[in-house]
Amino acid sequence: MSRVLGSVRAKATLGATLVVAVALLAAGAAVLLSLRGNLLDQADTQAERSARNVAADLAAGTAYDRLDLDDDGPPVQVVDEDGRLVAASEGLDAVSGTGSAAVRPRPPSPSATPDGRGGGSDERGSRDDSDDSDDSGDSDDDSDDDRSGRAGSGGDDDSYATLEPGEIADEAGRSDGSATVDGERADYRFAAVQVEVPGKGRLTVWAGAALATEQGAVRTALTVMLVGFPLLLCVVGVVTWLVTRRALRPVEGIRRELAAITASADLARRVPVPDAHDEVARLARTTNETLTALETSVERQRRFVADASHELRSPIASLRTQLEVGEAHPELLDVPGAVEDTVRLQRLAADLLLLARLDAGERPADTPVDLGELALDQSAGRAGVTVSAADAVTVSGSRGQLARVLANLLDNAARHARAEITVTVRREGDVAVLAVADDGDGVPEDERERIFERFVRRDDARSRDDGGAGLGLAIARDVAARHGGTLTVRQAPAGGALFELRLPPRDRSREGS
């Protein structure tokens, strides 16, 4: 189970699902907030429109009992300056969130008709006992709830001071509350609009708009999200799992093939390459290239071990034979031959050790080496060698290894030259060149790469020397590569072989430091 959960497929599925879940939550919250805000704006507009209609009737002089406050319309309250309810919708049983908790207006008072419009329009008298029994907390005295409505009456102090008789305030207050109409309770959004009525003073009209539509829409949207989002996340998870499995199927094929190659040690096998141009196909091709390089390296190592064993066997066997003969018959001991075999064995061991160090990636030293001086030193004492060296051709590297390269090239030229060997040191642009040419038969074009392989000797070399191991040119090319250069062979102007060692010159700034 932990293996499955820790797989790339499971991580990709989990990651995609989490990202989609976060996006859905953010989008859902934004949708709900936007929907609720829009519906609240609509409720505010509807409530304010109802309040302004009643305020317009009051400003026109309509009496309280003649206002259009049927129970079929929105709940409406009209509150005077003292916070007393003077008019209310029919059927209003209870209300909260407005300027007054009262639901029954005060009975008409004959003394409250200073404008001569008739009684019943601006009554300030006390309520009868039956009203007190119906509406708790609505006593003859001004209650705290009634007076609190004056502070939230829908306009600021500036608008209260500047309203003219018959003028309706531009600003409207907002509040949330509830109302019970004809026994049915519901939540409302209330708007409060102030109006200055001649003879009646400042009145505040509270009108509500039901929030049932807003609440129903929000509940419906929330229900859809609670049901739809999990289903959508399941779909996203399943689709991601299937798509990831299909995308990673070639990777699993590569893994199985590599496991089989490791178990069988058969480096000739290759992993399957998908018929695509994606990262997995590039991975498969790179893996096959790596297997090819590994197979070549292993095969080269096997040949090297086999050839080294063969080359070591001959001088060791010869030396042992001579020592055994000398032990049995001291007068027959061939001391020069034993010394020669020992020297040959020593040289072969040194060559093998150097190749092993080069294969291990040993970095050469970073010292200045004058190729002209090196050519003169290595050519001293050799017959038929002519040196032509330019001044100040300096490279960075190991003097001992570069000397070994030149010595191997001179030894190879001596085996094939008829009479003359030429060593040239020059500089071509940004490259230092050391060339060794002979006047022999040259190297056929089809063998110019093969001669740099280890333990490879041409037939004419076998017949003309004392049995070299065939490692000289291989060592020379490996050393050149380790120094950032190249070693190639082509035909010399005199018809023989021309070996050219090309190396990057030493930086002048480094040389002077």
Side-chain angles (χ1 to χ4, degrees):
M1 184 65 179
S2 59
R3 181 178 179 182
V4 174
L5 294 178
S7 64
V8 175
R9 187 188 314 169
K11 293 177 181 178
T13 301
L14 180 60
T17 304
L18 288 177
V19 170
V20 174
V22 172
L24 289 177
L25 288 176
V31 169
L32 288 177
L33 291 176
S34 177
L35 176 62
R36 185 174 183 275
N38 291 334
L39 293 175
L40 284 178
D41 289 341
Q42 294 179 11
D44 287 339
T45 301
Q46 181 180 352
E48 183 176 352
R49 184 184 301 113
S50 299
R52 289 190 180 278
N53 290 337
V54 175
D57 292 340
L58 290 171
T62 304
Y64 296 142
D65 56 355
R66 295 185 179 182
L67 294 174
D68 185 12
L69 302 179
D70 296 335
D71 54 1
D72 294 337
V76 176
Q77 287 180 307
V78 180
V79 182
D80 64 8
E81 296 179 4
D82 297 327
R84 297 183 180 184
L85 183 68
V86 296
S89 298
E90 297 179 6
L92 183 62
D93 299 327
V95 67
S96 64
T98 63
S100 174
V103 295
R104 295 289 181 269
R106 300 299 172 86
S109 175
S111 62
T113 58
D115 56 353
R117 297 184 183 182
S121 61
D122 191 19
E123 296 83 354
R124 302 289 178 92
S126 61
R127 301 174 60 193
D128 55 20
D129 295 339
S130 62
D131 289 340
D132 289 339
S133 63
D134 292 339
D135 303 305
S136 61
D138 197 17
S139 63
D140 292 341
D141 297 333
D142 295 335
S143 66
D144 292 339
D145 290 339
D146 292 341
R147 296 196 179 275
S148 66
R150 298 175 62 187
S153 58
D156 54 22
D157 294 340
D158 293 339
S159 63
Y160 186 91
T162 58
L163 286 180
E164 298 295 335
E167 185 180 358
I168 301 175
D170 294 333
E171 299 294 333
R174 302 282 188 272
S175 66
D176 291 322
S178 63
T180 303
V181 180
D182 293 335
E184 295 183 2
R185 183 184 180 281
D187 294 328
Y188 285 85
R189 182 74 168 172
F190 288 98
V193 176
Q194 292 183 349
V195 57
E196 186 73 24
V197 180
K200 300 178 182 179
R202 178 66 57 87
L203 301 178
T204 303
V205 180
W206 292 85
L211 295 178
T213 302
E214 178 264 341
Q215 294 172 346
V218 171
R219 282 195 299 269
T220 301
L222 184 60
T223 302
V224 171
M225 292 178 184
L226 292 177
V227 175
F229 283 5
L231 293 177
L232 182 57
L233 289 178
C234 291
V235 172
V236 170
V238 172
V239 171
T240 304
W241 179 270
L242 295 177
V243 171
T244 307
R245 183 179 66 178
R246 181 178 180 84
L248 295 179
R249 187 177 300 164
V251 177
E252 179 62 21
I254 294 173
R255 187 203 64 79
R256 286 197 301 266
E257 187 62 24
L258 285 176
I261 292 173
T262 302
S264 64
D266 183 7
L267 295 178
R269 299 174 62 173
R270 296 292 179 267
V271 300
V273 178
D275 186 15
H277 300 283
D278 55 8
E279 292 82 354
V280 177
R282 291 197 294 270
L283 172 64
R285 287 191 288 269
T286 303
T287 302
N288 285 336
E289 293 171 359
T290 302
L291 289 173
T292 300
L294 181 60
E295 181 185 15
T296 302
S297 177
V298 171
E299 184 61 28
R300 181 181 180 185
Q301 191 70 20
R302 288 174 180 172
R303 290 200 308 267
F304 176 77
V305 172
D307 293 339
S309 301
H310 175 74
E311 293 293 336
L312 287 172
R313 189 180 300 115
S314 296
I316 291 176
S318 175
L319 183 59
R320 177 179 178 180
T321 299
Q322 295 182 50
L323 292 177
E324 289 177 349
V325 170
E327 182 182 11
H329 305 283
E331 69 280 2
L332 299 180
L333 177 61
D334 184 7
V335 176
V339 172
E340 182 180 354
D341 287 339
T342 303
V343 172
R344 180 182 174 189
L345 184 60
Q346 182 181 10
R347 289 177 178 174
L348 181 58
D351 288 344
L352 293 176
L353 178 61
L354 178 57
L355 284 174
R357 285 160 43 195
L358 293 175
D359 289 341
E362 179 182 283
R363 297 178 63 86
D366 188 16
T367 57
V369 179
D370 190 332
L371 294 182
E373 180 183 348
L374 185 66
L376 293 175
D377 291 345
Q378 292 297 318
S379 300
R382 292 178 180 265
V385 179
T386 302
V387 178
S388 175
D391 294 335
V393 180
T394 307
V395 298
S396 297
S398 170
R399 180 179 177 83
Q401 292 185 6
L402 293 177
R404 183 66 175 276
V405 172
L406 182 53
N408 289 351
L409 294 178
L410 290 173
D411 290 342
N412 179 76
R415 294 188 185 99
H416 301 89
R418 293 187 176 91
E420 183 179 358
I421 300 174
T422 302
V423 179
T424 304
V425 177
R426 66 184 184 276
R427 185 162 183 165
E428 294 182 357
D430 294 334
V431 178
V433 181
L434 188 152
V436 178
D438 61 68
D439 59 353
D441 296 331
V443 181
E445 188 172 355
D446 58 347
E447 294 186 9
R448 289 178 182 175
E449 285 299 318
R450 181 175 173 272
I451 61 174
F452 291 106
E453 296 179 6
R454 299 176 183 183
F455 299 105
V456 172
R457 289 181 295 169
R458 296 174 60 198
D459 293 337
D460 56 348
R462 293 178 183 273
S463 63
R464 295 182 60 182
D465 64 11
D466 55 354
L471 294 176
L473 295 180
I475 291 175
R477 172 165 277 191
D478 285 352
V479 170
R482 291 296 177 187
H483 283 74
T486 60
L487 178 62
T488 58
V489 60
R490 59 186 178 89
Q491 186 175 3
L498 173 61
F499 288 86
E500 286 186 338
L501 173 65
R502 295 177 175 269
L503 298 171
R506 184 175 180 83
D507 192 346
R508 292 294 184 183
S509 62
R510 293 172 56 188
E511 184 176 350
S513 60

